[in-house]
Short mmCIF file of all heavy atoms in Angstrom, two decimals:
data_model
loop_
_atom_site.label_atom_id
_atom_site.label_comp_id
_atom_site.label_asym_id
_atom_site.label_seq_id
_atom_site.Cartn_x
_atom_site.Cartn_y
_atom_site.Cartn_z
N ARG A 45 174.86 62.06 29.64
CA ARG A 45 176.03 62.16 30.53
C ARG A 45 176.46 60.81 31.07
O ARG A 45 177.55 60.67 31.63
CB ARG A 45 175.78 63.15 31.66
CG ARG A 45 174.65 62.83 32.61
CD ARG A 45 174.38 64.03 33.51
NE ARG A 45 173.19 63.87 34.33
CZ ARG A 45 173.22 63.52 35.62
NH1 ARG A 45 174.38 63.27 36.21
NH2 ARG A 45 172.10 63.40 36.32
N SER A 46 175.60 59.78 30.89
CA SER A 46 176.02 58.43 31.23
C SER A 46 177.23 58.02 30.40
O SER A 46 178.11 57.29 30.88
CB SER A 46 174.88 57.45 31.00
OG SER A 46 175.32 56.11 31.02
N ASP A 47 177.29 58.48 29.13
CA ASP A 47 178.41 58.12 28.26
C ASP A 47 179.73 58.64 28.80
O ASP A 47 180.80 58.11 28.47
CB ASP A 47 178.18 58.68 26.85
CG ASP A 47 176.91 58.15 26.20
OD1 ASP A 47 176.38 57.13 26.68
OD2 ASP A 47 176.45 58.77 25.22
N ARG A 48 179.68 59.67 29.64
CA ARG A 48 180.89 60.24 30.26
C ARG A 48 181.05 59.77 31.71
O ARG A 48 181.88 60.32 32.44
CB ARG A 48 180.82 61.77 30.21
CG ARG A 48 180.63 62.35 28.81
CD ARG A 48 180.78 63.88 28.81
NE ARG A 48 179.80 64.53 29.67
CZ ARG A 48 178.55 64.86 29.30
NH1 ARG A 48 178.15 64.58 28.06
NH2 ARG A 48 177.72 65.45 30.14
N ALA A 49 180.24 58.80 32.11
CA ALA A 49 180.29 58.26 33.48
C ALA A 49 180.07 59.37 34.51
O ALA A 49 180.75 59.43 35.53
CB ALA A 49 181.61 57.55 33.74
N GLU A 50 179.04 60.21 34.27
CA GLU A 50 178.75 61.32 35.17
C GLU A 50 177.36 61.23 35.79
O GLU A 50 176.80 62.22 36.24
CB GLU A 50 178.90 62.64 34.41
CG GLU A 50 180.31 62.93 33.93
CD GLU A 50 180.42 64.19 33.08
OE1 GLU A 50 179.36 64.81 32.80
OE2 GLU A 50 181.55 64.57 32.72
N MET A 51 176.79 60.03 35.83
CA MET A 51 175.48 59.85 36.46
C MET A 51 175.59 59.93 37.98
O MET A 51 176.69 59.88 38.54
CB MET A 51 174.88 58.51 36.05
CG MET A 51 174.43 58.45 34.60
SD MET A 51 173.89 56.80 34.11
CE MET A 51 172.64 56.46 35.35
N ASP A 52 174.44 60.05 38.64
CA ASP A 52 174.43 60.15 40.10
C ASP A 52 174.93 58.87 40.76
O ASP A 52 175.58 58.91 41.81
CB ASP A 52 173.02 60.46 40.60
CG ASP A 52 172.57 61.87 40.24
OD1 ASP A 52 173.41 62.66 39.79
OD2 ASP A 52 171.37 62.18 40.41
N TYR A 53 174.61 57.71 40.14
CA TYR A 53 174.98 56.42 40.72
C TYR A 53 175.50 55.50 39.63
O TYR A 53 175.15 55.65 38.46
CB TYR A 53 173.77 55.75 41.39
CG TYR A 53 173.16 56.53 42.50
CD1 TYR A 53 171.95 57.22 42.32
CD2 TYR A 53 173.76 56.59 43.76
CE1 TYR A 53 171.38 57.95 43.35
CE2 TYR A 53 173.19 57.31 44.80
CZ TYR A 53 171.99 57.98 44.59
OH TYR A 53 171.43 58.70 45.61
N PRO A 54 176.31 54.49 39.99
CA PRO A 54 176.70 53.47 39.02
C PRO A 54 175.54 52.55 38.70
O PRO A 54 174.51 52.56 39.41
CB PRO A 54 177.83 52.71 39.74
CG PRO A 54 177.54 52.90 41.18
CD PRO A 54 176.94 54.27 41.32
N PHE A 55 175.67 51.77 37.66
CA PHE A 55 174.62 50.85 37.22
C PHE A 55 174.15 49.99 38.38
O PHE A 55 174.93 49.29 39.02
CB PHE A 55 175.16 49.97 36.08
CG PHE A 55 174.18 48.98 35.54
CD1 PHE A 55 172.98 49.41 35.00
CD2 PHE A 55 174.44 47.63 35.56
CE1 PHE A 55 172.07 48.51 34.48
CE2 PHE A 55 173.53 46.71 35.05
CZ PHE A 55 172.34 47.16 34.51
N GLY A 56 172.83 50.04 38.65
CA GLY A 56 172.25 49.24 39.71
C GLY A 56 172.73 49.62 41.10
O GLY A 56 172.51 48.87 42.05
N MET A 57 173.37 50.78 41.23
CA MET A 57 174.00 51.18 42.50
C MET A 57 175.01 50.14 42.96
O MET A 57 175.22 49.95 44.17
CB MET A 57 172.96 51.44 43.59
CG MET A 57 172.09 52.66 43.36
SD MET A 57 171.01 52.98 44.79
CE MET A 57 170.22 54.51 44.30
N MET A 58 175.64 49.45 42.01
CA MET A 58 176.59 48.40 42.36
C MET A 58 177.99 48.97 42.52
O MET A 58 178.50 49.67 41.64
CB MET A 58 176.58 47.31 41.29
CG MET A 58 175.28 46.54 41.21
SD MET A 58 175.35 45.07 40.16
CE MET A 58 175.54 45.79 38.54
#
Side-chain angles (χ1 to χ4, degrees):
R45 62 190 172 100
S46 167
D47 300 343
R48 304 188 299 275
E50 295 176 356
M51 289 174 55
D52 291 349
Y53 299 104
F55 180 59
M57 291 186 176
M58 294 190 292

